């Protein structure tokens, strides 16, 4: 199993933007997304420690840790740290996952199509970041899964 933390405030993958260049329209990725994906890829490279990208099916568990708003009362901040107050604001969990998975392509795994099991949590934390766990998925016979 591979376990590591992506440092910094999590960022959702931004939609491609369009800019007119003369008679042509050029699509580009927002700078904030590019910067975050670079941070994610670096964390992945460091965690892999020179090993090649994983091959085969993998399971991914991501805990998205968002900063607690400083404007909140001490009571509400304490509730956020205990999990009584949950983050129902941006960034969307699925957009953060997309940014991370795209950045992991060719670094942690060959392609994000290899992810067959996924658990995603979004919580408040004193130190923002994303806790990542990646594990190879072993073969499980269908009859053990309850399939008919």
């Amino acid at each position: 199993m591979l376990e590591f933390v992506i440092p910094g405030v999590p960022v959702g993958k931004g939609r491609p933007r369009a800019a007119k260049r003369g008679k042509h329209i050029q699509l580009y990725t927002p700078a904030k997304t590019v910067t975050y994906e670079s941070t994610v890829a670096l964390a992945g490279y460091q965690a892999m420690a020179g090993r090649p990208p994983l091959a085969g099916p993998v399971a991914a568990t991501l805990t998205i840790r968002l900063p607690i708003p400083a404007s909140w009362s001490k009571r509400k901040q304490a509730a956020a740290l205990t999990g009584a107050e949950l983050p129902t604001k941006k960034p969307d969990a699925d957009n953060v996952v997309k940014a991370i998975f795209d950045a992991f392509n060719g670094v942690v795994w060959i392609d994000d199509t290899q992810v067959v099991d996924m658990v995603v949590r979004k919580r408040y934390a004193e130190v923002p970041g994303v806790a990542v766990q990646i594990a190879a998925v072993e073969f499980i016979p269908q009859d053990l899964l309850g399939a008919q």
Side-chain angles (χ1 to χ4, degrees):
M1 178 175 300
L2 187 63
E3 293 185 65
F4 60 99
V5 174
I6 301 165
V9 177
V11 175
K13 180 142 185 134
R15 295 186 183 274
R17 305 284 186 221
K20 192 170 182 180
R21 306 274 188 229
K23 294 182 181 180
H24 303 285
I25 294 178
Q26 181 180 10
L27 294 176
Y28 66 95
T29 304
K32 191 172 182 181
T33 300
V34 172
T35 301
Y36 185 66
E37 286 182 351
S38 295
T39 300
V40 171
L42 178 61
Y45 275 117
Q46 291 171 340
M48 292 302 287
R51 294 176 296 218
L54 300 171
V58 297
T61 301
L62 304 176
T63 303
I64 301 166
R65 300 173 181 164
L66 298 174
I68 300 167
S71 62
W72 283 6
S73 68
K74 295 289 182 192
R75 181 182 294 179
K76 194 168 182 181
Q77 288 183 18
L81 285 175
T82 63
E85 185 77 36
L86 297 173
T88 56
K89 62 178 188 95
K90 289 191 179 272
D92 297 353
D94 61 324
N95 290 337
V96 174
V97 170
K98 183 66 176 155
I100 292 171
F101 280 17
D102 285 351
F104 281 173
N105 286 340
V107 177
V108 174
W109 48 55
I110 297 166
D111 190 79
D112 56 353
T113 58
Q114 294 169 242
V115 179
V116 296
D117 292 324
M118 177 174 37
V119 175
V120 180
R121 293 178 188 88
K122 198 166 89 165
R123 302 290 188 265
Y124 286 115
E126 286 186 47
V127 179
V130 179
V132 178
Q133 294 178 328
I134 307 290
V137 175
E138 303 299 325
F139 172 72
I140 301 172
Q142 288 295 321
D143 57 338
L144 294 179
L145 294 174
Q148 298 175 351

